Amino acid sequence: MEFLDIVQLLDTSIRLGTPLLFACLAGLFSERSGVVDIGLEGKMLIAAFFSAAAAFYTGNAWLGLLAGIAASMVLAVIHGLASITFRGNQLISGVAINFLAAGMTVLVAQSWFKQGGRTPPLTGNGRFGNVELPFAIGPTEAEAAGRPLSQMIGEAGPIQQLYSELISGHSILVYLGVLAVVATWWILFRTRFGLRLRAVGENPAAVDTAGVSVIQLRYAAVLICGVLCGLAGAYMATSLQAGFVKDMTAGRGFIALAALIFAKWRPVYAMWACLLFGFFQALETRPDLIEAVIGMKVQIQLLGALPYILTVVILAGFIGKAIPPKASAEPYIKER
Amino acid sequence: EPALIFDLGGKFDKSFNEAAFGGATRWAEETGGTFREIELQSEAQREQALRRFAEAGANPIVMTGFAFGNVLSEVAPDYPDTKFAIIDMVVDQPNVRSVVFNEHEGSYLVGMMAAQASKSGTVGFIGGMDIPLIRKFACGYVQGVKAVNPDATVIQNMTGTTPAAWNDPVKGSELTKAQIAQGADVVYAAAGGTGVGVLQTAADENILSVGVDSNQNHLHSGKVLTSMMKRVDNAVYEAMTAGVDLETGFNVMGVANGGIDYAMDEHNASLVSADMKAKVDMAKDAIASGELAVHDYMSDNTCPVE
Amino acid sequence: MTAPAIELKGISKAFGPVQANKDISISVQPGTIHGIIGENGAGKSTLMSILYGFYKADAGEIFIKGQKTQIPDSQHAIKAGIGMVFQHFKLVENFTVLENIILGAEDGAMLTTSLGKARKELKHLADEYGLNVDPDAVIENLSVGHQQRVEILKALYRKAEILILDEPTGVLTPAEADQLFRILDRLREEGKTIILITHKLREIMDTTDTVSVMRRGEMTATVKTSETSPEELAELMVGRKVLLRVDKVPATPGKTVLDVKGLRVVDEKGVERVKGIDLTVRAGEILGIAGVAGNGQSELLEVLGGFADGTGVITMNGTEIPLTGQGADGRARRDAGISHVPEDRQREGLIMEYSAWENTVFGYHRDKDHQSGILMDNAGIQAEAQEKMDRFDVRPPNPKLAAKNFSGGNQQKIVLAREIERNPDLLLIGQPTRGVDIGAIEFIHQQVVNLRDQGKAILLVSVELDEIMSLSDRIAVMFDGHIMGERDPAQTNERELGLLMAGITDTSAVTNGASEEALNDG
Amino acid sequence: MDKMPKWADIVLIPVISLLLAAFFSSLVILAIGESPVEAFKLMVDGALMRSAGWGYTLYYATNFMFTGLAVAVAFHARLFNIGGEGQAMIAGLGVALVCLYIPWPHWSLAILGASVGAALFGALWALIPAYLQARRGSHIVITTIMFNFIAAALLNYVLVELLRPVGAMDPASAKFPAGTHLPTFQDMFSTESSKMFRGAPANVTFFLALAACVFVWLLIWRTRLGYEIRAFGQSETAAKYAGISPVRITVIAMLISGALAGMMAVNTTMGESERLILNATEGAGFIGIAVALMGRNHPLGVCVAAILFGFLYQGGAELALWTNIPRELIVVIQALVILFTGALDNMVREPIEKLFIAMRRRNA
Ligand SMILES: Nc1ncnc2c1ncn2[C@@H]1O[C@H](COP(=O)(O)OP(=O)(O)OP(=O)(O)O)[C@@H](O)[C@H]1O
Ligand SMILES: Nc1ncnc2c1ncn2[C@@H]1O[C@H](COP(=O)(O)OP(=O)(O)OP(=O)(O)O)[C@@H](O)[C@H]1O
Ligand SMILES: [Mg+2]
Ligand SMILES: [Mg+2]
């Protein structure tokens, strides 16, 4: 295995890790406030559809993003109603939301586009292009030189490879993802809102008696969760891909939840956890490298199950006991 | 009134169900007729759909997918006056027309095309769900590649092992990138909706791709080398046109009778030189005449080349 | 006369079918300490929670300093100058003291400025009232007493003029309680108004200016403290004459039933809770374990009851019983003749959703006499439950009612009926009368004494010194996982026990001041 | 004192919730340009007015009873088993092995053997998540979801590489031998003169499912184990006090749950397809959650809810046959049913409770 292989593998990990990261941070806000959300998957899915649909109609990826976020927030409000206002079972609400998104996206897509639950492919500004950082070798350079990009990168030095392949050339949303990690950390640990948010996930009664509304805080968290899931879904449909196909999130919302546990509900850990899970998924695309390393052919089925197996192994083995926010999954009930 | 039953993948699977739908639509448009259709959502509905349509007087009833084989052989005798057509499977009943395709032949042809278009000597194959049918595609493709360039490398990936593998464009896209990283400069996608991601990424990354089932050259004009066409649409169209007079029996659609072909149109004209085309057409004739036999993976579950 | 600091008029509050407060009116003068007493469940906490905006009243009006004030939530209460220390603290356990104090009262959106300001203010308050706590300590590492200080500081930080304390002394040592009352005195001198809820008549008599009595959701009387007596208050509370002391003959201890040697217990967090204790309990005697909550008594009971692991040697009737692994669970203990009335009946002793009859075999549900074939003998269990409930005067005597629908005292009677009727050799009994009203206390104490008189061994754990003193034949005091000493109830007093509970063994030599020093360092 | 009478809790509230779900479903149908009334009529006609329709409704209901019971049993121990899907998939393997490799003289013996195989394999697949939850605190919701994916991969491997007859297109096992074919309702109830349940897949397994309902009822409310499962589910601390081992109960409850989920494979694999196919579960594991919720985790409720969902499935198939409504409509309806009967339960419950309390006050 060469250096470039590793760089490429990590590059894929970043791309595949980004939707996980947005979803994971979404879950982080929600769970830190005491609302467990296994409906991340559904919110991502609906955001993916509406972002693709809006981007298709307007030809503008940013408008698509806004539409995706809005759609995701609608589901977030439903989850909020169920788990905050009506103090229902949060897991069940999440299951319902996942079903709702799976059904609604296809139903609406079929009714709008008549293409069997997919949007037409996005072109041009309907998608987020890739950002080329200064000094990096990118498509522009390749075109100028008239040679394939992969060849040019292959010939470059290791630092340049690292920079051009790994750091540069991602969608703007990927960089936004990194920014979101920093922002999450800052909000959580440096602002009044963050203090209250963390408190309400640990002991809502303490927040309530301190004169702060538990309901408002939790709704705020759930809405932020909606925004971040919207980003995750829009990234998938308008950046990783050029359009929506049914069930395109393919369980990523659940992997994000596992990453959240692995990250012990902390933003920076969350980034590493998502990169790790992204890496597992990246491995799946490179059976040749696995073969080269372990020296034998891996069953495709085993390969496909690898991210899930590793998730279980990590949850079971490597994190010790992850203690969730104390009040998570508990509706705040004052009067029985 | 004819009826069309789509397999579990759904009628817009960017694959053969969609092609079948295309054929039926063409028939409807040309004749002004109407047809009944259903997308199955569970295994138990296969028999149900067949019986309900038969009882409602639909004739002929066309279905796509090998999975109908078992059920049809049970149901067909109960409705001797109804004609059935099944695609991708052989059912031996007096009122059934079985249409099977030699996908390996078409894959062979596009394999040849890919090998000729490749500068790096490395080409890729991305399958959908890992089932024998897709291995059949892969095996034909590899044979075609090797026929042109015995030293060529073919990178093969399957998207997954669940039906979700037909609908995971993101993974298709990443697999494409991974194959590019390994040097592939032509990728053949036989992966339904996942293929959308493959073709998209190939276009984004400026390499060539090969479409499947229907003519997908137009999806990214100038970026799709060709498409392996499995004329399910023709099969359906013909069945519906024949109506109650549908000729029953065993029907192999291959290169010989135009049931399998590769696509040439204005979208890929610039990509395929006359030389390339000539070479592929020669092989096509050889297959048609029986001179050249492409190995069928399904015949013995093995592939002679890798 | 100035306007009352607080005036409540016609407050009513129902929780579903339970009428917790019924048309309550009360008025409290500024600069006084006003006591509220009443049986458990009388509605004291509810009333105060309404005043603090935690619950919304169904009807009624609130006047603060003569002004009619709407208090829809705690924010409004805080604005009106009200602070409250709840019976169950409302602290975020993994936050620091400082973070807890600024929560909800931050200055601006950035934390750093808030924290800086609060740190200064906190120092100022600490100096003024002698409320010392380390601002950077994490709450879960603090003792209950210190946690309570944080709650008081929270109120003072918010400039509370009116301070409500709901049963503040239940968890404190006598010395800590004394210190608390001194702080309250100081606050009163500054003109602050204090409402104090407590069950302890002595505290009412010692500290309050006026006192109100609540019963079954109603305010039955408000009197000047100087014009009443404990006996009168008790009668007002329960509605009949109450015996304030336990009737019992001296014990006649027999052979040793339980013998504990070198017992150590480490909790889940890896903290050693019981640090090597020795004790024996003989047949026909009650050994009382006194101590402030959280000094290892709970863990002692849990190990003996078989639901926590420990190390050491424990023999029961002469045979050693295992402390870990197989054979160290509650079932094995029951088989060995140990019954256990746990400290927390609602979380441990009962399944609240189960009906009373199901609860009467809880822990004994695998016994042969409760089975018919492979199924449980539900009819038999129900009939037996009815008998037990009648014998223990559980009200209402309906075995089909879910446990959660019984009042605290009656829930405790169900547990007692189950454990005592087993006729155990050893009864472990923790906080037998916590959350139980005076009438039921009388009954429960009588049952425990009866069991002793039948020659059974009893290990009693309670944080109520009164209870320990009146029930026990011997008293052991626990502090910080050690047994600080054993005393004969006839030859000791509350003051001596109180010092032991604070970890001070040399009870004769220590002066008042020194002991408080020790307490302050905590 | 209860807040309201029992019948209100188990009948009135679910019915109102269902009506709400139906109302919103109608809006969705309207929005895609179809008539809700027509759609509803089609569903009822197709699912309930013909014996064959019932044959399908009860076939699906059989699956949902098993998965619903599975979720319910786990729920009683406060465990959320989202893994019914994977457990049923692997259980199918158990059924296939039993049917393919043991020569059964008669179906009545075969169904017993297959049940054992299904239950065993299903339970086995639940064992690891259960153990990890009990011992390592790994969140069972996540692990069971992961095990669904892993099960799919494993089954695919087995079918493609091991059990598939050479030359077969289908990733499926060979047909089971005739000795294992279960009598369908058609076989059982048709007479010379009239064919009943023609072609419908409902079969004797339905009665097995009814038996399972009775079994679960006995287990949960009449046995020591059930007593302990419920006690553990209500309060872990109390369970510990009573000498009930949390590890043991977690594992046992999940084993029973997995076994029940697995039993549905008898219906699909042995009763319907008569061979092992890849996608035999078709989401029934997830529907089980809704079924358990609606049935209030009580076997009788589960039974009724399972039939309701069976009706939804069969009615949905009829819709797909005769209209252009996409099949995803049924998914949306399911979601709405879960939402209103489960998550938004209090939205309906609270006003009704208030109503009853007010009524009682007035009467008093
Ligand atoms: N959480 C609850 N949910 C429903 N009903 C309750 C609840 N708590 C108490 N009750 C009901 O309220 C009534 C009064 O309970 P409470 O605890 O006030 O009794 P109490 O006056 O303390 O009686 P006791 O003298 O037995 O302790 C009980 O009989 C019970 O039916
Ligand atoms: N949040 C609640 N939901 C329902 N019922 C409640 C709630 N809080 C209290 N109750 C009920 O209201 C009644 C009054 O309870 P409250 O806590 O005010 O009593 P209390 O006098 O403070 O008792 P204690 O001495 O135990 O503190 C009781 O019957 C109790 O069960
Ligand atoms: Mg109280
Ligand atoms: Mg009480």
Side-chain angles (χ1 to χ4, degrees), chain B residues 180-197:
Chain B
I180 294 172
Q182 293 168 70
D185 56 359
V186 186
V187 240
Y188 176 30
T194 304
V196 175

Side-chain angles (χ1 to χ4, degrees), chain D residues 87-88 90-91 117-127 254-255 257-259 261-263:
Chain D
Q87 288 142 20
I90 297 300
L120 207 68
F121 275 57
L124 213 68
W125 204 247
L127 177 63
M254 278 302 285
L255 286 179
S257 177
M263 287 291 289

Side-chain angles (χ1 to χ4, degrees), chain C residues 378-398:
Chain C
N378 286 359
I381 298 171
Q382 280 177 29
E384 226 176 277
Q386 184 72 63
E387 276 172 44
K388 281 184 204 165
M389 288 172 76
D390 289 343
R391 230 182 348 260
F392 273 75
D393 190 29
V394 178
R395 275 176 283 184
N398 177 4

Side-chain angles (χ1 to χ4, degrees), chain C residues 104-376:
Chain C
E106 306 89 345
D107 296 276
M110 292 307 114
L111 270 192
T112 18
T113 41
S114 303
L115 287 169
K117 193 184 148 210
R119 192 180 293 275
K120 265 189 231 131
E121 175 72 17
L122 200 62
K123 187 155 169 30
H124 174 73
L125 285 173
D127 293 347
E128 193 171 331
Y129 298 103
L131 284 163
N132 287 318
V133 269
D134 171 8
D136 297 312
V138 176
I139 296 296
E140 58 197 355
N141 300 333
L142 291 180
S143 71
V144 201
H146 277 77
Q147 292 185 9
Q148 189 179 60
R149 284 186 199 173
V150 178
E151 285 284 22
I152 297 175
L153 282 168
K154 249 167 82 175
L156 296 179
Y157 184 75
R158 287 161 174 73
K159 309 260 182 296
E161 287 298 311
I162 299 163
L163 188 62
I164 306 164
L165 295 116
D166 193 350
E167 297 190 30
T169 56
V171 289
L172 302 181
T173 59
E176 278 177 319
D178 283 348
Q179 210 208 358
L180 172 69
F181 288 123
R182 264 197 303 281
I183 292 169
L184 295 185
D185 268 338
R186 178 109 113 258
L187 289 168
R188 169 167 57 182
E189 278 158 26
E190 282 184 6
K192 297 199 195 291
T193 310
I194 292 162
I195 298 185
L196 175 70
I197 300 178
T198 176
H199 286 300
K200 298 175 186 166
L201 297 178
R202 199 165 34 86
E203 288 171 2
I204 293 286
M205 300 309 295
D206 289 353
T207 47
T208 61
D209 301 303
T210 44
V211 51
S212 296
V213 183
M214 286 185 72
R215 189 145 72 88
R216 310 256 153 209
E218 288 176 277
M219 191 64 86
T220 50
T222 299
V223 291
K224 277 211 154 52
T225 312
S226 51
E227 295 166 5
T228 186
S229 67
E231 287 74 19
E232 189 194 8
L233 288 177
E235 200 177 328
L236 279 170
M237 262 165 78
V238 186
R240 62 178 164 89
K241 284 221 178 305
V242 186
L243 219 57
L244 290 176
R245 280 209 93 66
V246 188
D247 243 356
K248 64 170 190 184
V249 295
T252 49
K255 66 177 175 65
T256 297
V257 174
L258 177 76
D259 185 36
V260 176
K261 287 235 155 48
L263 180 68
R264 289 176 183 277
V265 183
V266 177
D267 72 5
E268 282 170 358
K269 287 185 183 160
V271 179
E272 189 167 50
R273 291 292 184 176
V274 177
K275 302 176 175 171
I277 62 175
D278 304 325
L279 56 82
T280 57
V281 192
R282 284 169 295 171
E285 73 164 356
I286 299 175
L287 172 65
I289 307 237
V292 180
N295 277 289
Q297 310 96 304
S298 307
E299 287 77 8
L300 170 65
L301 278 186
E302 284 170 9
V303 170
L304 292 175
F307 55 104
D309 288 348
T311 54
V313 179
I314 297 181
T315 47
M316 176 74 196
N317 285 330
T319 38
E320 191 177 333
I321 54 177
L323 294 186
T324 49
Q326 285 277 313
D329 63 359
R331 241 175 97 198
R333 293 293 197 276
R334 288 181 180 85
D335 291 342
I338 302 177
S339 280
H340 182 183
V341 177
E343 289 185 310
D344 189 337
R345 59 179 166 266
Q346 301 201 340
R347 289 188 61 236
E348 294 170 346
L350 293 167
I351 298 288
M352 300 303 279
E353 305 293 322
Y354 273 12
S355 54
W357 68 266
E358 284 177 296
N359 271 305
T360 57
V361 291
F362 189 53
Y364 303 96
H365 54 276
R366 288 199 166 265
D367 285 6
K368 283 232 170 50
D369 36 327
H370 297 318
Q371 316 299 324
S372 71
I374 55 164
L375 302 181
M376 286 176 80

